Amino acid sequence: PEPFPVDSTPLASDAAFPPMPTLKVDVGWAPALAQDGEVWVIVTTENCDLQLKCTHSRSLRAPASAGASAATLTIEQIHPGPYKLNVILDRNGNLGTTLYPDAGDGVGGLNQAIMVAPSGETAVKAQIVVTI
């Protein structure tokens, strides 16, 4: 909200974080993984290009075991408002090093528009639709 922050009164050093929304992303794909991999969720306020070059507001990865065809990732303490969602199925587990998907990885629809609610949990679904 404008102005940001709304309340500039400092909290005590041992105070809990103020309550903020969470974003739960259910990612699905087919076929099931042949070997262990990782699932990535990248949240931005701007569109990403095909190599996912953009400024990431938040990102999160989770392991996915062989045989899995879905994963749920939850981003806590996220500001409410509009975002673009990108999901990647990193089948060979190297995205953390290369910083872009490579041959065999799966990618969801680019820049899926989502809206994080002002409070509570916002749940969205994303599907891996293309294998590179």
Side-chain angles (χ1 to χ4, degrees):
E2 293 294 331
F4 181 82
V6 175
D7 182 1
S8 60
T9 307
L11 298 173
S13 62
D14 59 349
F17 281 117
M20 291 179 69
T22 60
L23 174 62
K24 183 177 91 169
V25 183
D26 292 319
V27 183
W29 61 86
L33 284 176
Q35 63 186 34
D36 293 350
E38 294 180 330
V39 180
W40 286 75
V41 169
I42 300 169
V43 179
T44 67
T45 57
E46 61 187 41
N47 284 333
C48 295
D49 66 13
L50 292 174
Q51 291 186 333
L52 298 173
K53 289 184 182 175
C54 54
T55 302
H56 300 183
S57 297
R58 298 285 294 271
S59 62
L60 187 63
R61 70 178 172 177
S65 300
S69 60
T72 299
L73 292 85
T74 302
I75 297 176
E76 298 181 356
Q77 298 287 321
I78 188 168
H79 289 278
Y83 291 95
K84 307 292 183 175
L85 175 67
N86 292 285
V87 294
I88 302 165
L89 179 58
D90 184 15
R91 288 189 171 95
N92 58 4
N94 70 346
L95 185 68
T97 304
T98 63
L99 303 180
Y100 60 87
D102 59 359
D105 290 344
V107 179
L110 285 178
N111 306 310
Q112 178 182 340
I114 61 170
M115 178 67 73
V116 174
S119 63
E121 181 179 271
T122 299
V124 297
K125 293 185 182 295
Q127 190 70 29
I128 300 299
V129 294
V130 174
T131 297
I132 298 174

